[in-house]
Amino acid sequence: MPQPITAVQRKLIASLRQSRHRRDNGLFVLEGTRSVLDSAAAFKVKWLVATDQWLNEYANQLPDNCRTVLTARNDEMRQMSSVVTPQGVLAVCRIPPTPEIVDIQHDELILALDCIQDPGNLGTIMRIADWFGIKRIIASPDTVDIYNPKVINATMGAIARVGVIYTPLPPILSRAAASGIEIYGTFLEGEPIHSAHLTPGGIIVMGNEGNGISRPIAATVTRRITIPSFPKGHPTVESLNVGVATAITVAEFRTRLLTNGQD
């Protein structure tokens, strides 16, 4: 049976908006109807918190792992929420153990993120990875936390299917390159992606929103590519948003794979 939320529980949930408290407690929050119904089943849920109105409408759709249900008033939901207009439900989940770095296969396509700072960009990149069948992302330690509420909202459920491993990138990229895996980097002076040789697998490095790919990581790149503007020489914006650039780049890799008759 659902139980009313306590002040202690409410305070703890509100604190999870900050990364320090997420780390200290090993918890994060999925918020909103779609996020909870689509993604909660992929995690260990500590509490499902919802208004009576929400439970009346959706209780029969809850994942089986939402066993401890707490009820809250609308004003209490606003106190805990990270959004302006809460939808009446959130799930407090345990942060999964950090996955280990395992060998990268030559036919696997992976994204490597160098200091992506904006939560919306990271969430969008995870959503793109999910759409194009990329299961693993490696990210520099200074990349924004995937359990940031804004990241989770922007993933649109991809957080349940795309793993992100935070680790220093140069050693991993260097080892991969030494084993014959191509390391692709997006640079303004690179080879146009539409005519470049692209392998089915490899690691695609996407750089920081303002500074691009850092020097230590650029040194590991084996093939530099760029997204050319059209028409050539026409005045245009200085650069593309990193989420947009990721979508165009990954789409080109997957198009080549389909064109070559591979699944």
Side-chain angles (χ1 to χ4, degrees):
M1 291 291 293
Q3 301 175 352
I5 193 169
T6 67
V8 172
Q9 291 167 330
R10 190 171 66 245
K11 183 177 180 180
L12 171 60
I13 295 170
S15 76
L16 298 178
R17 291 193 292 262
Q18 300 177 30
S19 61
R20 175 170 62 88
H21 292 293
R22 291 195 296 271
R23 289 194 303 270
D24 291 347
N25 292 281
L27 300 171
F28 73 99
V29 176
L30 293 173
E31 186 169 3
T33 301
R34 181 171 181 178
S35 184
V36 169
L37 296 183
D38 288 354
S39 304
F43 302 99
K44 293 182 178 180
V45 177
K46 181 178 177 67
W47 300 315
L48 186 288
V49 185
T51 62
D52 289 331
Q53 181 180 357
W54 191 92
L55 288 172
N56 287 337
E57 186 171 355
Y58 294 102
N60 63 340
Q61 299 180 41
L62 283 176
D64 292 338
N65 60 336
C66 295
R67 296 185 179 90
T68 303
V69 179
L70 307 176
T71 58
R73 303 185 306 270
N74 287 327
D75 64 302
E76 292 175 319
M77 295 299 296
R78 285 193 292 270
Q79 292 171 18
M80 296 179 284
S81 177
S82 62
V83 299
V84 176
T85 308
Q87 295 181 13
V89 65
L90 58 83
V92 180
C93 305
R94 300 191 185 280
I95 294 176
T98 302
E100 295 182 1
I101 299 293
V102 297
D103 291 340
I104 298 172
Q105 304 301 314
H106 283 68
D107 61 351
E108 180 183 10
L109 194 61
I110 288 179
L111 287 170
L113 308 182
D114 182 9
C115 191
I116 299 301
Q117 299 277 278
D118 183 83
N121 284 338
L122 177 55
T124 297
I125 290 170
M126 292 177 67
R127 188 176 177 185
I128 291 163
D130 191 30
W131 183 264
F132 285 106
I134 294 174
K135 301 302 181 185
R136 294 195 293 171
I137 294 174
I138 52 177
S140 60
D142 49 4
T143 291
V144 63
D145 179 15
I146 62 167
Y147 298 111
N148 179 304
K150 293 181 179 179
V151 174
I152 294 174
N153 290 340
T155 70
M156 298 296 287
I159 192 170
R161 293 176 292 276
V162 177
V164 178
I165 301 169
Y166 289 85
T167 185
L169 295 181
I172 291 179
L173 298 181
S174 295
R175 286 198 300 270
S179 71
I181 294 173
E182 290 279 17
I183 312 298
Y184 296 90
T186 50
F187 297 87
L188 290 176
E189 73 279 9
E191 183 181 359
I193 189 171
H194 306 301
S195 58
H197 173 71
L198 306 179
T199 52
I203 301 175
I204 305 170
V205 181
M206 304 304 298
N208 172 263
E209 291 90 342
N211 301 315
I213 297 174
S214 61
R215 285 188 178 182
I217 295 174
T220 68
V221 170
T222 59
R223 190 175 292 272
R224 296 186 172 214
I225 54 177
T226 192
I227 301 168
S229 60
F230 289 90
K232 186 176 181 179
H234 185 75
T236 185
V237 296
E238 182 177 327
S239 64
L240 292 172
N241 168 275
V242 67
V244 173
T246 301
I248 295 171
T249 302
V250 175
E252 184 64 28
F253 272 80
R254 291 314 199 199
T255 298
R256 300 288 184 89
L257 196 63
L258 293 172
T259 301
N260 293 335
Q262 303 179 53
D263 294 329

